[in-house]
Amino acid sequence: MKSRKFGIGLLIMLAFVVTTGTFAYWASGVSGNTASESNTIQIGTGAEVTTTVVVSGSASSALDLVPSGREVSGVSVSSITYSFDVEWAGASSAADAAGATGTLNITPVLSGAGASELALFTVTTASTQSITYGDTPTVTITVTFTNEPTDAAQYALIQNAELTLNVTFLVDSVNPQ
C-alpha cells in the first residue's frame, strides 16, 4: 500500500511538474508582442500650368500698342490688360479637398525681342494671391509700353515685333481644411 501511495504521489507530483514546466516553457517562448511594417508611399507633385498669349493689340480690339502718351483714340493704346480665370482642381473629389487654401504664384514673362527692347515694357500683376480649392479667381495682367525707343535703331528692332506673354501659375503653401 505504501508503494501504491508513493506511486500516486509520484504521479501527482509528475503531473504538477509537467503542467508547471509546460506553462513556464510556453510563457518563456512567447516573444514579439510588437509588429513592424514598412510601406512605400508615393507623394504626388503639383505641376506648373503655363499659358501663352500673343501681345499684339488690346484684348478687346485690334488696336496697336504704342508708347505711353502716343496713343491715338480708336487707333492705338499704350497698355493691354489680359484676364485669366484660374481654377484650382485636381483628381480627388471636391469633398476630399473642400476648404483647402493655398497661395497662387503668378509669373508673367514677356519675350520676343532683345533685353533692351523688352525693357521698354512693363508687365504688372499681383505676384501672389490666396486661392481656395474649387474656386476660380480672375488674374489680371497688364502689359504697358512705358518707354519710347531711344533712337531709330532701337525703334527698328521693336516696330512690328510680335511679343509673347507667357504666364506661369503655381499653387503652393497648401493648407488642408
Side-chain angles (χ1 to χ4, degrees):
M1 169 102 106
K2 212 175 193 187
S3 72
R4 189 174 170 178
K5 283 185 183 183
F6 180 71
I8 293 174
L10 187 61
L11 285 175
I12 291 174
M13 190 159 114
L14 182 63
F16 180 72
V17 169
V18 170
T19 305
T20 306
T22 303
F23 178 73
Y25 173 75
W26 176 79
S28 68
V30 175
S31 64
N33 59 353
T34 62
S36 216
E37 286 293 326
S38 176
N39 291 305
T40 302
I41 300 170
Q42 186 164 345
I43 306 298
T45 59
E48 296 180 348
V49 177
T50 302
T51 64
T52 302
V53 295
V54 174
V55 181
S56 60
S58 173
S60 61
S61 68
L63 302 179
D64 291 334
L65 187 62
V66 297
S68 296
R70 299 293 186 175
E71 309 91 339
V72 175
S73 181
V75 177
S76 58
V77 293
S78 63
S79 66
I80 303 168
T81 299
Y82 294 93
S83 295
F84 299 92
D85 293 327
V86 180
E87 181 180 7
W88 178 21
S92 66
S93 68
D96 293 340
T101 60
T103 301
L104 176 62
N105 293 290
I106 305 140
T107 308
V109 177
L110 194 61
S111 63
S116 61
E117 287 72 43
L118 291 176
L120 301 173
F121 299 88
T122 304
V123 180
T124 55
T125 188
S127 60
T128 62
Q129 68 183 54
S130 180
I131 188 169
T132 302
Y133 184 88
D135 287 353
T136 308
T138 299
V139 174
T140 57
I141 299 174
T142 303
V143 177
T144 306
F145 198 156
T146 50
N147 301 303
E148 287 190 39
T150 55
D151 55 28
Q154 190 176 34
Y155 175 74
L157 293 172
I158 201 68
Q159 73 176 356
N160 296 321
E162 187 175 276
L163 302 180
T164 302
L165 176 65
N166 291 304
V167 185
T168 302
F169 301 97
L170 172 67
V171 176
D172 66 0
S173 301
V174 175
N175 297 313
Q177 290 295 323

